[in-house]
Amino acid sequence: MQLKYLRTLLEGQEHIQRIAGLAWSPNQQKLAIATADRHILLYDDAGERRDKFSTKPANAANGKNSYVIRGLAFSPDSTKLAVGQSDSIVYVYKLGESWNDKKVICNKFPQAGAVTALIWLSSGAIIAGLEDGKIRALHCKSNKSQSLYGGDSICISLASNTKGTGFLSGHNDGTIIRYYLTEEASEPLGRVVQHPVPPFALAWPQGGFCAAGCDQRIIFYDSVGRQQRCFDYSRTEGEREFTVAACSPNGQAVAFGSYDRVRIFAWSPRQGAWSESASKEINYLYTLSALIWRRDGARLALGSVSGAVLLFESVLKRTIWQDKFELIFVAPSQLLVRSLAEPTQQLTIESQLGLEIDDVRIMGKDNYLVGRTEESLILCDLTRNLASEVPWTASGRHERFYFENPHVCLVFNVGELSLVEYGDNRILGSVRTEFVNPHVISVRLNERGNARENKKLAFLLDAKTICVVDLVSQQVTGQINHETKIDWLELSETAHKLLFRDKKLRLILVDNYNGKKQTLLSNISFVQWVPQSDVVVAQSNTNLAIWYNIDLPEHVTLQTMRGEAIEVLRENGHTVVRSQDGPSEHSYQLDEGLVEFGTAVNDNDFGRAVHFLESLGDKPAAKAMWHNLAIISLEEGNLRVAQRCYAALANVSKAYYLAEMIQQADHFEQSTGTPGIHCPEVRAKLALLGSDLRAAERIYLEQGDIEAALAMYRQLRMWDEAVALAERRGYARLPELRQQHMDFLLETEQQEKAGQVLEDEGELQQAMALFLKANKPARAARLALKTPHLLQDEQLMLQVTEGLVHCELYELAGDIAHRLSRPEAALALYRKGGAYARALELARVVSPQEVTALEEQWGDWLVSRKQLDASINHYIEAGATQKALEAAVGAKQWRKAVQIAKVLDEPELIQRYALDLSKHLAFAGDLDGAEDLLVRANLYKDAIELLNRHGKWERAYVLGEKYLKAEQLRELFVQLASSLEEQGKYRDAEKVLIAVNEPDLAIAMYKRRELYDSMIRLVERYHKDLLDSTHLHLARQLESRGKFKNAELHFIASGDWKSAVHMYCSSSRWEDGYRVAKQKGTEGASQQVAYMWAKSMPLESAVRLLSKLGLLDTAVGFACDSGQFEFAMELCRFAGKPTDEVHLKIAMSLEDEGKFEEAEAEFLKAHKPKEAILMYQHAGDWQAALNVAEQHLPDAVNEVLIGQASAALETRNYQDYEMLLLRAQRPDLIIDYYKQESLYEDALRIAEEHYPSAMNDLRRLHAQQQRGQQQGDDAGGDSRAYLQRAAEFAKREQFRKAAECLMQIDASNAEDAGTLERALLRAAEIVNQFLEGKDAQELAQELGPRLLAIKQIGPAAQLYLAADLPKQAVDVFIRAEQWSKARRLAKEIDAELLAYVEQQQKSRLKHEGNVEQLADIDIISALDLLAEQGQWQRCLDKAKQLSPSVLQKYVAAYAAQLIREGDCSSALGLYLNYGAPPIEEHFNLYSRIALDCLSLREEQSEGGSLWQRLRDFLHRLIVGLRASEHGQTPFAAQAQQYLTIAHYYATRAACRAVPSLQPVAVRLSLALLRHTDVLPVDKGFYEAGMELRQAGREAEAFVMLNHYLDVCEAIEEGSGNLVDHSDLAATDFPSSVPLPEDIHLKNEPNLHEEVREWVLAVSMDQQVDQLLPNDDRGLYESSLGANDLPCLLSGYPVRGRQPVTFQSSSNQVNRDVWSKFAVAVKMAPASGVSDIIAFVEKWQGTANYVMH
């Protein structure tokens, strides 16, 4: 929490001016300050002073200075202020609600002692602490006070709890006492703790209380007084005693004041502890004397002994919501919501549970707020200031909120809809539904002023079923089924009626009381209840339909309207329907009187309703309204209104009847004073009027008037009820009543009824006579059959039989004959009466040979009566198979017909019905059965057509090959493809043509239809070698049609991007051409296109374009290179660039053409005279070069002369050489050359004339030369001597000696390095020019290494070549690493030397690690080097550019290294990125990756993504294996098992993220135990056990975890014999499995120990069955039986009806599991469930999940 200074209300004084008290009104509008001069200052919320008044002493005679203020407190309603004074009195001032109200004293409470502390509880009482230690309660309403308790010491502080129902008092002796004023106290009263020092600072926050004093310690206590936390500041520098404390309104923060400082302590709900959150030091404030929080906790005011009052803002944080609202968190569980548009509007939101609010959103058009805590959900209506906090479990925050209803919020989460009423802290109701559109949910809560609790909800259970729920009783009151999907529904305001509309636009009305459903109208586009009434308005086409009385829906008012109705408005006494017709709006006013009638009836205002109906006269709608009002008035007991209604309806009998009832009621009321409606006679007649005879009887019997009840029944001719009543009541005149009953029956000729009465009384003979007299032989026969002695009367039986035959009651007649032992007659009568069941029963006893004939006759009889389905079994019993088949087909019992047809062997018998049966089978999805039936009927062509219709082209083709001729078959399929093509079913046509091996026809079809993508797809599959040419052909064709974009795609696909660029450029679509060149071509290509684009434009536009592309300089270069110098000049001029570069390019071009003078001019324009000079120098035109230098670059004149001199020297023109160098003033160069050549005489001549300073040195050298010559050949000397001697040998043409003499010069005798270099080069020159053979080779062997030593590479190589030593020459370049020269030399000499050079270069590059150069020579070696260096990504990138085989080689090598390093996840990613080919050498790697990944812990699976990647990898691998020769190898089966396990893991990870799929995750963990021969066995049992434990299945968890511990022990011991498998005998878990090297939880010993302790604890618990339960198969529920298939989504056996199957495999999924996944996909689209479903259908084929 942070304290932010806002403003100073009162400045501090230089003397003591103690603030006696601070009080903030509960409505947060007023702040009261009690000053030292006994005045009360009132400030508003903004901190502005608005009022001031003075207090008065208890006794005016003592004067104003006779007291001080000790306490200040506002009343709960903020209109009063209590002031406690030291002169033993408490005044209560009435401040009023506005600032201008007069301040008056409304209550006085004199006390026995001085008041020392004062608070005002929200429960209403003022609590005052006195100096004698007493605590008193002051009551303003009674103006009385009472003592609550007394302490042993003066009361120094009071603190109330946050609810205002109790308080704490602190006393000077350290005692703290707790007291509650309500009976809801949950904590004991009295002294709770003895604080070490007087608790001047006392506060009561949530969960306990806290106190502080002069010991500079703050102690927090729990509710029973135990110390929880102590903050000791006694050693803090500058800290003094704590004088005051204040608790925030929500109880989650406490402020303590001391000297110059205030400390804030906050409660952390998550940590469950108090901690100091803020400390504010305020210099020169001095000791704090008062602290107070504002009611919302956002402000803290503090006052000091110096008279200063400061205002601080205390917030945790503040945020702005979408620039509309400011959210201010004043505590973890409380925040303020303030509108930025209207800052005065502020709402306080607080968690009633004290939980931290961590997420706040404003929704519903900014009218509603949604907040969350860890355990609850807070919903607020900002417009009505209503808040609700309801318990809410964490659900991933995927809820959806709907705020369309103004009274209730709809919260939808994971298929459950919850309703929260604003202002109510409980969930109003919860239902399960997947339909959360507000149009199909209707809620009504006590609307239309209904005093009863009337809260109803209507929603969709499914798309065709509406459920109505009473939210008060939480009972379903109605369920409406409909044959069509429903898209709108709404309850009436009283929830008595329900309207809904279906997808066929029919409007249906449902009465929620009786469930009656009635269709009102069709073609409904708009419907709505009129507000505050039961009137319905709907639009059907162009008619507006109005039901003013919905109880009589047949009375509807229709009127024509324009446009579409959009809303119904009811305001200011008018009801209007608004419609929108294009841009215009129309209004249609309803008859407000008719609308008002419905409202009046609903409000039981019968007088207003009658008055209105009388004003209607004879209108058609009036009759229905009178009828409705009559029913309602009778229900309410208003007889006069009911009489008036029936009179208006011309129902004279009811009106007269009601008039009698009114008279009886009036008489009863006059005589008894009780309302007439309570009269028994009236109540009985009302019951009779409502046809409730039982109620009327009960009323009479309650009055003891049985005669009246009997008279009622007699009057209504209900003699049976009368006799029954008399019997029940023991009526004395019962015989007489019975006789009257019999007389009545005989008089009215009811002989049958009279006979029944006699039968009941035991008078059987008379009853028989009456039955026969009444011509009821059946009754007589049944009586005779029940009475054996009557059967003895033959005459009587003859009469009965004749009567039965006359009435065609042959079955009864047969029964009589059978009882009279006449079986033949009985059989004949049974046959005649169609009672074949009785006949068969009898025939089996008396005539078994007739049973078969009877069965067939029975079937014929049933067929004659159109009961074909019933006749089938009888025909089958009779063996009439042909008739059975006919009957089954006629009855459309297709399944039976198919079964019967399978029995028939003759095709002729089946052909008649084969087509119909096959159609049924195909419709039912049994295509195999349909095909088989047609084949058995020899209808091969029909079978082929059937398969073709269902897209089974391959099967149809196989069938045709078997039964049709090849030409006939091909013609049939080609015709079928043509018809499909005409219908636009191109993919089907393609499948047909592919099935008959005619891909070329399919390609031609797609070409005709211009479906080029499909055409290319087929070409790529069947004519891959023609793919590029096809792309190119299509591109040309599309280009000719102007479809450039499509043409571009094909050009690029064919690899000919240049043609695409040319196409665009040719059609002046330069931008597209530039795009293609930039994306697909080289940088130069795109620049060239840009240049051509610019050339096609005006110069100004071209410059802008090139500048935008940043290619202006490049374009200028292109123009110059192509000789378009004028264009380049124009570009430079328009762009403001210098043209020097262009002139330079022109000059160079002219130079190449030999136009030197023109080139010179251009060089000079380019300000490049140097280049002009060089041009002339290269051309040998020294005079021209000298002219240019003299005119334009004088500094270069000497260089030109020196160059010309060098040229002269090369021609041995020493005269010009000397002249030119002397002209250039460089005699030193001449002297140096002559010295080098030992021409000392010439050197002396030049030095004497032009360079005298060199004379002495030259003379000395000349003398040395002469002495050397004199000493002869054997005389040694320095290098000069060797040079001189060599020169002499050369003159005598002794070249070997000359070379050897030069080679005598070395570093020891040479003057400098230059002399040595010149000597060796001269020796090499001599060998090259004058020696050969052995001499040349010997000298070359010695001289070559010395040349290399001085870096003379070229001369050394030339030396070896001259000596016919080519290999040594190549070695020279190799040693100098001049590989290109070495390669070129080797190529010219010998191809074998070229291989030698390449080998040497490879070795050198490998040694140096130079990959890039090595790749240019030998890419494989470069890849090996990268692999050795660990640069795998570079290695793979380069290998990918070569071929797939090379790439896979290095992928495998990298994967092997990753596996050795334990990084199986990266190895898996490697194969996912680069593919996993079905190569046998890689199988071990694939297995190792799968096993290592499956051994990882769930926490290492990257949230389940590792399992998904492993699953996808294995699936791709298996697809590749099936397409290769390894499809049936053991590794393929092994990979299939790995895939199943990885799929289970991925599915389990996805299920864990969805609460509704948690049980499926448990199933998968159990199913994985089936694969512990592959998985680490301890991992499998650990995960299964923990899943079962979390699911609460402790018995099974115990078995699994106990087995896990056994396995771990076996691993540690290294022996599998320690594992007991007896507890798992009823499972399919493998008993013999390999043991891992280490236990799964090796790095998690704490988890392992936790499992061990839990197993030990459970093993001691006798209440837990330590066995696995078995199902009805005698197996554990997850185990597979002999014929069971595992469910692909749960791993459990597939059981139950109609499992989900797949098109491409025989695997299945339990339907209930599939349904859960389907719901989860809709409810949690962001989860991984949809990925699981998609993969399963990709793996197994499309799911057939529709039930049949």
Side-chain angles (χ1 to χ4, degrees), residues 384-558:
R384 296 186 295 161
N385 200 8
L386 293 176
S388 304
E389 182 175 12
V390 297
W392 198 261
T393 57
S395 58
R397 303 193 176 184
H398 300 305
E399 301 91 349
R400 283 183 281 170
F401 300 90
Y402 298 89
F403 301 99
E404 281 74 8
N405 193 296
H407 306 288
V408 66
C409 177
L410 308 179
V411 186
F412 182 75
N413 183 36
V414 195
E416 183 172 2
L417 178 67
S418 300
L419 288 79
V420 180
E421 185 177 3
Y422 301 115
D424 191 355
N425 291 334
R426 62 186 179 87
I427 295 179
L428 186 60
S430 297
V431 294
R432 299 289 299 182
T433 180
E434 296 182 11
F435 303 89
V436 290
N437 188 327
H439 295 301
V440 293
I441 298 175
S442 179
V443 186
R444 295 295 188 183
L445 305 181
N446 299 333
E447 298 183 30
R448 296 263 292 278
N450 200 325
R452 295 181 301 166
E453 282 289 301
N454 183 24
K455 300 181 179 181
K456 299 285 175 41
L457 163 68
F459 66 98
L460 288 183
L461 272 179
D462 55 46
K464 301 180 181 179
T465 307
I466 302 174
C467 184
V468 182
V469 178
D470 188 334
L471 297 174
V472 177
S473 63
Q474 297 296 321
Q475 299 292 324
V476 175
T477 61
Q479 188 166 312
I480 300 99
N481 297 313
H482 194 57
E483 68 274 6
T484 310
K485 291 183 178 180
I486 299 164
D487 65 357
W488 178 90
L489 64 87
E490 188 172 8
L491 289 165
S492 65
E493 292 179 343
T494 57
H496 296 162
K497 306 285 186 181
L498 171 68
L499 280 175
F500 69 87
R501 183 184 66 184
D502 61 19
K503 290 289 186 180
K504 295 182 179 179
L505 301 182
R506 295 177 298 181
L507 182 63
I508 295 95
L509 173 69
V510 179
D511 190 321
N512 288 334
Y513 283 159
N514 55 29
K516 182 181 178 182
K517 186 168 70 171
Q518 185 174 357
T519 301
L520 299 183
L521 209 59
S522 299
N523 297 322
I524 297 297
S525 59
F526 171 85
V527 61
Q528 182 180 334
W529 292 96
V530 174
Q532 295 298 313
S533 74
D534 284 338
V535 177
V536 176
V537 174
Q539 181 181 4
S540 176
N541 297 327
T542 58
N543 293 323
L544 183 66
I546 308 160
W547 286 269
Y548 289 104
N549 185 358
I550 198 62
D551 290 318
L552 296 173
E554 62 274 9
H555 295 282
V556 57
T557 303
L558 297 174

Side-chain angles (χ1 to χ4, degrees), residues 793-811:
D793 189 342
E794 293 184 4
Q795 186 63 31
L796 182 62
M797 291 301 100
L798 182 60
Q799 285 183 313
V800 171
T801 302
E802 289 177 352
L804 290 171
V805 171
H806 179 73
C807 294
E808 297 185 355
L809 299 173
Y810 300 109
E811 185 174 359

Side-chain angles (χ1 to χ4, degrees), residues 1012 1031-1032 1034-1054 1056 1059-1060 1063-1064:
Y1012 298 125
H1031 274 299
L1032 202 57
L1034 289 178
R1036 299 293 183 199
Q1037 189 172 352
L1038 290 168
E1039 180 185 359
S1040 64
R1041 297 179 184 176
K1043 297 180 179 180
F1044 299 120
K1045 286 291 184 181
N1046 295 335
E1048 174 197 333
L1049 295 175
H1050 290 289
F1051 274 131
I1052 291 174
S1054 67
D1056 189 3
S1059 296
M1063 170 188 69
Y1064 281 129

